[in-house]
């Protein structure tokens, strides 16, 4: 092989590597956050996305499909001091991938704790009769 052919081969290999790093395929039901030097810049929606190789990187891969979380059993004291054990199920869907990625740690755990707190607050403000009648 002569020097010119070797140079062309190296350039083609580098161009192919550059292209592989630049093209990102985002599956349906997911959103990828893009970071430039560690700082959020934008989000890639499902389909074919382009980033600047070696400068941009994928920060988080966020599932934006509806998610089901089981709320564990907990004891709640009603307004008339009766002890009731409750559990539940929470359905949630991420609408903003950037906020879900960068404004809260452990999103699913945060949603679960917020749900448990709201259950205790709402049921704790009710009498046992109200609670059992579903009013």
């Amino acid at each position: 092989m002569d020097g010119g052919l070797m140079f062309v081969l190296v350039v083609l290999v580098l161009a192919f590597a550059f292209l592989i790093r630049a093209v990102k395929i985002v599956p349906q039901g997911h959103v990828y956050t893009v970071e430039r030097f560690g700082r959020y810049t934008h989000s890639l929606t499902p389909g074919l996305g382009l980033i600047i190789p070696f400068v941009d990187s994928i920060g988080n891969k966020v599932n934006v499909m509806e998610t089901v979380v089981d709320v564990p059993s907990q004891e709640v004291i009603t307004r008339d001091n009766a002890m009731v054990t409750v559990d539940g199920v929470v359905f949630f869907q991420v609408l903003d991938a950037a906020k879900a990625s960068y404004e809260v740690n452990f999103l699913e755990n945060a949603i679960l704790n917020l749900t448990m707190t709201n259950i205790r607050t709402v049921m704790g403000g009710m009498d046992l009769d109200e609670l059992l009648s579903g009013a």
Side-chain angles (χ1 to χ4, degrees):
M1 288 184 143
D2 64 334
L5 184 59
M6 186 62 121
F7 177 74
V8 170
L9 201 61
V10 169
V11 169
L12 285 175
V13 168
L14 289 175
F16 184 72
F18 190 82
L19 186 65
I20 292 296
R21 297 238 345 158
V23 175
K24 299 296 178 190
I25 298 174
V26 182
Q28 185 68 34
H30 290 79
V31 173
Y32 291 179
T33 60
V34 177
E35 297 175 350
R36 179 166 293 152
F37 300 119
R39 183 183 172 111
Y40 171 78
T41 57
H42 64 282
S43 298
L44 295 177
T45 55
L48 191 64
L50 297 174
I51 63 172
I52 301 171
F54 311 108
V55 175
D56 290 345
S57 63
I58 300 299
N60 290 313
K61 298 178 179 180
V62 181
N63 183 347
V64 293
M65 294 182 283
E66 192 170 84
T67 305
V68 180
V69 178
D70 187 35
V71 179
S73 296
Q74 61 180 331
E75 292 186 347
V76 177
I77 300 174
T78 62
R79 187 170 44 193
D80 54 353
N81 290 327
M83 185 76 73
V84 179
T85 303
V86 297
D87 63 358
V89 176
V90 175
F91 295 86
F92 73 93
Q93 182 176 15
V94 173
L95 299 177
D96 189 339
K99 287 183 178 179
S101 296
Y102 300 111
E103 292 187 12
V104 64
N105 282 330
F106 309 113
L107 177 65
E108 193 169 304
N109 191 29
I111 289 173
L112 185 62
N113 286 332
L114 186 61
T115 302
M116 291 171 67
T117 302
N118 283 337
I119 287 173
R120 283 193 304 271
T121 302
V122 170
M123 291 185 165
M126 301 171 79
D127 289 329
L128 182 61
D129 292 337
E130 284 179 281
L131 192 63
L132 294 176
S133 68

